[in-house]
């Protein structure tokens, strides 16, 4: 999650307040893996965001972002999917609020799931999208990959350890991790 | 599941073979609760089948039926939903093969989940349908009810104990059992 | 969750900081339903806390509390179970970090899940305890009830709407909501 | 599952009846991954059975077997765990009947999950064992491996494709697939 733009933290949190909050409590996030399904509803491809990092390199990531004050988890999913995939992506937010995984990220170097900015806890979902995806924002590109392509070391190596793990867990959850 | 027509057991099982199989092994079923979702994907209504029983009364039920030899669970869901809701119902079969509940029915009088015909194990799913539902078959009617309406004693009392339990579990799973 | 003592918020949050944080971000909680299992591991009883509320009345509740900065969800479960059930309760924290329910509480009057203090998101777990439970703290008593006893209107009426819903969802999850 | 001894199919199924049933309906199985947990309940090791195959080679497998007529899924888990791990293994059968995966095996050469004997559907569970494991039966050995050891190509290569997939899914489910 280290590649999340800090711009999405809401207008009512000043930089000072945000810095304070991030030193005081775990911050709640959502992660979403967009997927394409075929006419019968079976998973065909997963969507990964290609974005630039602060270090100037390229990384792949799930859709990810903070849950704002007074916002439901469902609304946060909708907002971040629209922000990253554009307004015509037509995501099908899951009926059940149960995540397929709970990610825990700590600002301690050496943590398996490391986030230098904060202690974050993320609820992760698989979300079919049926419309037109047009990433804008700070996202460079959205690439669609088959499960087999997504599970290659090259692709996994472009992801943070946390997101690579969530991708594997997502494919396990839908019965597509062979 | 005592209200399942025996006609859906497949042409390659003679009555004699079927009778034998039902005395020898647990029979695998699927149960599906059709639901309507609003434009944002939130559950609005659940669909319950009204059908005639052998005893001449009326009962409410989920979509339910056997998984055939060589058929995947997904294919069984599609087949039974089409059989009970018609070919234009456009069900969205869940991506994940994980059921929200596992039902176990025994032919022993007094079992909490009782099926006089067999020992059956059922995998249960919530399935959004977005098309036109036109029940045919031996189904009399499909009624759409809000979660609150479906959870009234009158409605639950029209269901077998097993299906009433599955309905409650389905609403719990999607966070709508208050 | 309105019956959670504010004392468990950690020494490194001053009252001023806490008040600030609670107006700025959703606060992450855990909820746990302690259960007794028989020799074969089947659920026998659920444990509900009887505690005094600020209003001077008595209420029933699940074990509930905040996840602290730098604390894992598992550690938060252990800490709150020990705090409420005593050090000899010997809880068996679930292997999987996946909750059976996600609770969302809002400080808006009229919300189905209402918490006047904050916007809270809670991950809920069923936790078998096999040792001696000796509630101390601000808890008055721990009562063990069969699923049937716990689901009576009298017992549910002593719980907040959120916790009553979580209890039903927990029993649905373990296949004991009939 | 091709390494399951046919001896566990129950005395009330003659070879002729069994052969008939296996050509007529899907056969219900359970799969169980035994695990060791530490004092705090965190997964330390997974247990894999080493057994001889009909072809004279050695293979690794999960605990696996058929659900018998009139037997609950829980009873089938208990019976197969005792059969493969001995009577002192003290397995902790999960409270919830929900599997972490549903395996579908077909007798069609080329199926991703192939079982030459039958169409089988398996409900898969992770089961902590806290006692002494003494495999007897046709099992040669039970080996305990850390998640990292179990996920090496050497170990996965000793398993059927189906069981290797279930192992990965199990570790994903408990948050230990990195």
């Amino acid at each position: 999650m280290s590649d999340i733009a800090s711009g999405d933290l809401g207008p009512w949190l000043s930089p000072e307040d945000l810095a304070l909050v991030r030193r005081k409590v775990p911050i709640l996030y959502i992660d979403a893996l967009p997927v394409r399904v075929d006419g019968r509803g079976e998973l065909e491809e997963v969507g990964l965001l290609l974005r630039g990092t602060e270090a100037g390199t390229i990384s792949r990531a799930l859709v990810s972002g903070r849950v704002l004050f007074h916002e439901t988890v469902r609304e946060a999913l909708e907002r971040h999917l629209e922000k990253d995939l554009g307004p015509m992506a037509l995501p099908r937010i899951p009926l059940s609020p149960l995540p397929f995984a709970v990610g825990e990220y700590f600002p301690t170097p050496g943590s398996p799931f490391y986030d230098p900015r904060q202690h974050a806890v993320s609820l992760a979902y698989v979300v079919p999208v049926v419309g037109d995806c047009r990433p804008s924002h700070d996202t460079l590109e959205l690439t669609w990959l088959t499960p087999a392509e997504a599970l290659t070391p090259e692709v996994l190596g472009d992801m943070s350890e946390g997101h690579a793990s969530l991708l594997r867990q997502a494919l396990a959850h839908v019965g597509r991790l062979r």
Side-chain angles (χ1 to χ4, degrees), chain A:
Chain A
M1 265 176 357
S2 59
D3 33 20
I4 293 160
S6 54
D8 68 355
L9 286 154
W12 44 80
L13 269 187
S14 69
E16 293 75 25
D17 284 353
L18 173 59
L20 170 68
V21 167
R22 282 184 159 160
R23 287 193 312 270
K24 297 298 182 185
V25 293
I27 305 295
L28 184 67
Y29 271 74
I30 59 88
D31 284 310
L33 178 67
V35 301
R36 291 278 188 202
V37 297
D38 66 15
R40 292 178 56 205
E42 289 202 81
L43 186 147
E44 287 193 319
E45 295 178 316
V46 300
L48 293 176
L49 298 169
L50 270 179
R51 7 177 129 188
T53 66
E54 287 175 18
T57 62
I58 292 291
S59 77
R60 295 179 193 267
L62 276 62
V63 172
S64 188
R66 200 164 68 83
V67 181
L68 299 179
F69 188 59
H70 267 295
E71 185 180 49
T72 65
V73 169
R74 167 176 286 268
E75 288 164 349
L77 275 168
E78 291 172 335
R79 180 171 57 83
H80 288 292
L81 285 162
E82 174 164 345
K83 181 196 65 186
D84 282 350
L85 305 186
M88 305 304 291
L90 303 181
R92 291 180 182 164
I93 309 295
L95 271 169
S96 168
L98 296 180
F100 74 81
V102 174
E104 302 187 77
Y105 301 80
F106 293 95
T108 317
S111 294
F113 285 21
Y114 174 57
D115 186 333
R117 301 164 303 162
Q118 62 194 347
H119 171 194
V121 174
S122 166
L123 306 180
Y125 300 88
V126 176
V127 182
V129 296
V130 295
D132 240 10
C133 293
R134 306 201 177 169
S136 52
H137 188 62
D138 62 342
T139 299
L140 299 185
E141 201 183 331
L142 176 73
T143 47
W144 292 103
L145 302 166
T146 65
E149 291 166 349
L151 291 170
T152 56
E154 291 71 31
V155 171
L156 292 171
D158 287 340
M159 306 178 77
S160 70
E161 190 175 0
H163 277 195
S165 175
L166 288 179
L167 173 62
R168 286 193 193 92
Q169 288 180 69
L171 291 171
H173 177 71
V174 300
R176 294 295 291 273
L177 188 77
R178 295 279 157 75

